């Protein structure tokens, strides 16, 4: 083979490989989750993403017959990452809020959530906003818990953490008087050894929270596919199976 | 890039910048106070005296600052003994944990810089001091240390500048320093490019001001080296 021919063959191979990758990329949906929010999304000992959100993502992908790639992304960069097209959807227990709807579109809710305070057992804590003034309260940064605290108890010393796990760590160390968080995540933590000496306080302070999948604004095709797939897995019982794996009650 | 966002985030970020200045300012002062004795012990001829400072520098230069901050903030608080001790009122505050970690870290680097400078003082000057009958302590006070400070100034200035930038790690332990404040603002506006660009501008200005001060100080301390007025530079 002459050099010319070799080059031509190599060039063809490169073009073929490139077009194959492009075709593949079209069919792959990249989904981001956080990986620090058990039991919804967490990273297990072997480094694999696990949890309710991840199972839902996989079930949706199976239903849509799409190849999915699930990636872990820090919580406070998760919406900017979506807008920068690093991935196409966020399945990370994200509350549907008017503020976020200005930046992204949401699917139909895939579960419902409430916010409730947690504090050490045996410690009387009045969770009315007036009584919380001056207390040190933790929450995760860029969450509705953090937002709720800033809007309702501005007189409290509010500490915002990068991950929910860090907020719990500081509650356990005694730096915080209480933490405000999603009930099911707290429920899961209370079952652990570390969380054993803590309990819910008062009634949920907010109970209209709906959790959805975020996609870029205008990505209606993906939005519709996800909504159809979500309806399908709820219909055929796949959703109920996943729910049961994590909670003995329905969180839909 | 949305210029409106870029300008609107400055007031909030300035609040964060003030905390950054406090953290770095206090940490650099404490760090220097630790570095001086550590450097003096480090140049000792007795290997046993040298060992302690060496181990300290080895640890703090050999591990990432982020790890050190986490160890001080989340690590120490795991122990009940620490939580029950008289130190807890200090250690429970993220502010002091950051200052402790920054001080110990910068002290380790500064001690090495200072050690190098002490050893770089021309031997003839030390010999001259001895020849006129100065004691060891007096030689250090009048000759070696003033000379060493001049020698180490550029390298030490570098260390302080690095500290200003490393202080962004304070945001990992709930502090709203310049970076922490930027992250908090991004949590609401979802515009990281504009917000971090604005924070970057503030870091640049802070470091520019410090570098200018440093240049002025260097000029003053090395007045004997600049040409007399009217002479070409």
């Amino acid at each position: 083979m002459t050099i010319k021919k070799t080059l031509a063959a190599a060039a063809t191979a490169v073009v073929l490989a490139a077009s194959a990758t492009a075709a593949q990329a079209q069919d792959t949906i990249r989904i981001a989750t956080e990986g620090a929010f058990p039991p919804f999304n967490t990273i297990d000992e072997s480094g694999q993403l696990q949890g309710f959100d991840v199972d839902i993502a996989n079930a949706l992908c199976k239903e849509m017959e799409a190849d999915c790639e699930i990636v872990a992304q820090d919580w406070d960069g998760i919406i900017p990452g979506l807008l920068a097209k690093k991935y196409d959807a966020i399945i990370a227990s994200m509350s549907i809020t008017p503020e976020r709807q200005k930046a992204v579109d949401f699917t139909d809710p895939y579960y419902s959530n409430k916010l409730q305070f947690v504090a050490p057992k045996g410690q009387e804590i009045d969770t009315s906003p007036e009584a919380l003034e001056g207390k040190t309260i933790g929450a995760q940064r860029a969450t509705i818990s953090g937002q709720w605290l800033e809007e309702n108890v501005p007189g409290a010393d509010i500490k915002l953490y990068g991950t929910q796990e860090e907020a719990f760590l500081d509650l356990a160390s005694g730096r915080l008087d209480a933490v405000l968080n999603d009930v099911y995540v707290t429920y899961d933590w209370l079952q652990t050894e570390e969380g054993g000496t803590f309990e819910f306080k008062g009634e949920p302070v907010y109970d209209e929270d709906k959790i959805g999948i975020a996609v870029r604004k205008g990505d209606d095709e993906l939005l519709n596919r996800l909504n159809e797939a979500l309806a399908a897995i709820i219909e055929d019982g796949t959703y109920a199976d996943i729910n049961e794996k994590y909670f003995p009650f329905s969180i839909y | 890039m949305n210029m409106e966002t870029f300008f609107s985030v400055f007031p909030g970020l300035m609040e964060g910048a003030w905390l950054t200045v406090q953290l770095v300012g206090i940490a650099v002062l404490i760090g220097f106070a630790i570095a001086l004795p550590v450097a003096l012990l480090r140049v000792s001829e007795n290997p046993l005296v040298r060992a302690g400072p060496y181990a300290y520098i080895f640890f703090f230069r050999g591990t990432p600052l982020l790890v050190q901050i986490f160890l001080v903030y989340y690590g120490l608080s795991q122990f009940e003994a620490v939580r029950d001790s008289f130190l807890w009122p200090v250690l429970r505050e993220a502010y002091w944990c950051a200052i402790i970690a920054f001080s110990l870290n910068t002290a380790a680097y500064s001690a090495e810089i200072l050690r190098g400078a002490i050893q770089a003082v021309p031997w003839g000057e030390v010999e001259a001091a001895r020849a006129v009958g100065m004691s060891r302590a007096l030689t250090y006070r009048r000759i070696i240390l003033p000379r060493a400070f001049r020698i180490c100034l550029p390298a030490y200035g570098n260390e302080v500048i690095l500290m200003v930038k490393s202080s962004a790690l304070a945001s990992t332990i709930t502090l709203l320093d310049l970076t922490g404040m930027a992250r908090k603002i991004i949590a609401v506006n979802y515009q990281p490019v504009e917000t971090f660009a604005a924070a970057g501008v503030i870091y640049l200005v802070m470091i520019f001001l410090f570098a200018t001060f440093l240049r002025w100080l260097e000029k003053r301390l090395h007045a004997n080296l600049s040409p007399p007025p009217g002479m070409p530079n």
Side-chain angles (χ1 to χ4, degrees):
Chain A
M1 236 193 315
T2 65
I3 289 175
K4 236 184 198 170
K5 269 188 185 160
T6 318
L7 282 178
T12 319
V14 168
V15 169
L16 282 177
S19 57
T21 328
Q24 230 168 24
Q26 268 176 359
D27 227 34
T28 306
I29 302 173
R30 286 164 306 165
I31 297 171
T33 195
E34 188 199 359
F37 205 57
F40 289 97
N41 55 74
T42 182
I43 295 172
D44 67 12
E45 290 87 355
S46 62
Q48 295 293 311
L49 284 162
Q50 292 287 342
F52 181 87
D53 288 335
V54 179
D55 287 352
I56 291 287
N58 285 327
L60 291 175
C61 290
K62 204 173 153 201
E63 185 63 37
M64 295 187 291
E65 291 177 353
D67 278 334
C68 285
E69 192 188 327
I70 305 180
V71 295
Q73 158 73 44
D74 281 350
W75 179 252
D76 54 8
I78 208 162
I79 287 183
L82 177 73
L83 301 181
K85 301 194 176 176
K86 302 227 180 270
Y87 33 81
D88 310 303
I90 300 170
I91 306 185
S93 293
M94 185 175 278
S95 306
I96 303 172
T97 67
E99 291 82 6
R100 287 183 182 137
Q101 278 172 323
K102 284 183 204 155
V104 297
D105 281 343
F106 283 99
T107 60
D108 299 329
Y110 67 96
Y111 77 89
S112 308
N113 174 47
K114 299 169 190 162
L115 302 182
Q116 194 167 5
F117 283 101
V118 57
K121 271 183 187 164
Q123 205 164 70
E124 282 300 316
I125 283 199
D126 183 351
T127 56
S128 66
E130 304 78 46
L132 290 170
E133 300 240 331
K135 298 257 188 242
T136 310
I137 306 172
Q140 189 178 0
R141 181 167 53 220
T143 60
I144 54 165
S145 295
Q147 196 187 345
W148 189 92
L149 288 173
E150 283 178 347
E151 282 168 7
N152 294 284
V153 273
D157 184 7
I158 303 164
K159 300 272 184 210
L160 298 176
Y161 295 82
T163 67
Q164 184 56 42
E165 289 168 342
E166 287 170 353
F168 282 144
L169 212 53
D170 250 7
L171 180 63
S173 79
R175 281 197 183 98
L176 299 173
D177 295 316
V179 158
L180 183 63
N181 184 33
D182 295 10
V183 279
Y184 304 122
V185 177
T186 304
Y187 170 86
D188 188 68
W189 182 67
L190 293 178
Q191 319 297 317
T192 65
E193 195 188 333
E194 194 193 25
T197 55
F198 296 85
E199 63 184 4
F200 282 116
K201 298 289 176 183
E203 290 297 307
V205 293
Y206 180 72
D207 60 6
E208 286 156 32
D209 187 22
K210 295 289 176 195
I211 307 295
I213 301 168
V215 298
R216 273 184 299 279
K217 276 205 168 299
D219 198 351
D220 293 339
E221 196 200 325
L222 181 59
L223 189 72
N224 293 333
R225 279 176 81 189
L226 286 167
N227 273 333
E228 279 166 26
L230 183 61
I233 63 165
I234 291 168
E235 181 72 33
D236 71 9
T238 312
Y239 181 93
D241 290 345
I242 296 172
N243 187 142
E244 202 182 334
K245 194 171 145 194
Y246 296 95
F247 305 103
F249 43 81
S250 170
I251 64 167
Y252 182 65
Chain B
M1 184 126 153
N2 183 340
M3 291 318 274
E4 209 176 304
T5 312
F6 177 79
F7 289 113
S8 71
V9 295
F10 272 93
L13 290 178
M14 286 311 287
E15 251 177 77
W18 170 230
L19 182 60
T20 293
V21 169
Q22 284 178 44
L23 292 176
V24 175
I26 298 175
V28 164
L29 286 178
I30 299 177
F32 191 80
I34 299 173
L36 187 57
V38 170
L40 290 175
L41 296 175
R42 181 83 174 73
V43 294
S44 162
E45 276 154 28
N46 183 340
L48 286 177
V49 175
R50 265 197 328 244
Y54 181 81
Y56 164 69
I57 292 168
F58 178 76
F59 176 77
F60 279 93
R61 281 204 314 185
T63 55
L65 179 56
L66 180 64
V67 171
Q68 293 161 16
I69 290 183
F70 274 16
L71 282 179
V72 172
Y73 186 76
Y74 289 114
L76 290 179
S77 66
Q78 299 293 301
F79 300 101
E80 201 136 355
V82 174
R83 295 208 294 269
D84 293 338
S85 78
F86 68 100
L87 288 171
W88 187 238
V90 173
L91 287 174
R92 71 173 288 159
E93 297 299 328
Y95 184 84
W96 292 110
C97 287
I99 286 180
I100 291 169
F102 291 169
S103 303
L104 291 175
N105 183 278
T106 190
Y109 283 95
S110 308
E112 270 303 88
I113 292 170
L114 210 50
R115 185 217 23 118
I118 289 172
Q119 289 172 340
V121 172
W123 181 242
E125 298 181 18
V126 182
E127 225 172 13
R130 287 199 183 156
V132 296
M134 280 193 198
S135 70
R136 215 173 129 95
L138 195 64
T139 311
Y140 262 99
R141 198 150 52 83
R142 288 226 183 124
I143 309 294
I144 300 180
L145 287 180
R147 274 297 260 144
F149 287 137
R150 273 159 57 166
I151 293 168
C152 79
L153 197 58
Y156 183 68
N158 240 347
E159 165 57 24
V160 175
I161 287 172
L162 287 175
M163 199 65 239
V164 172
K165 290 183 289 187
S166 308
S167 72
L169 290 172
S171 67
T172 60
I173 54 168
T174 75
L175 286 173
L176 295 174
D177 71 319
L178 183 42
T179 302
M181 198 56 108
R183 284 177 155 180
K184 193 181 163 201
I185 293 171
I186 292 164
V188 185
N189 72 7
Y190 307 120
Q191 297 188 301
V193 177
E194 289 80 355
T195 313
F196 277 136
V201 167
I202 299 178
Y203 276 115
L204 269 178
V205 170
M206 284 199 298
I207 288 168
F208 171 77
L209 291 177
F210 178 72
T212 308
F213 165 73
L214 210 65
R215 221 178 16 245
W216 171 83
L217 191 65
E218 234 174 277
K219 234 180 168 161
R220 237 186 97 97
L221 290 180
H222 290 276
N224 57 325
L225 295 183
S226 43
M231 292 283 283
N233 213 333

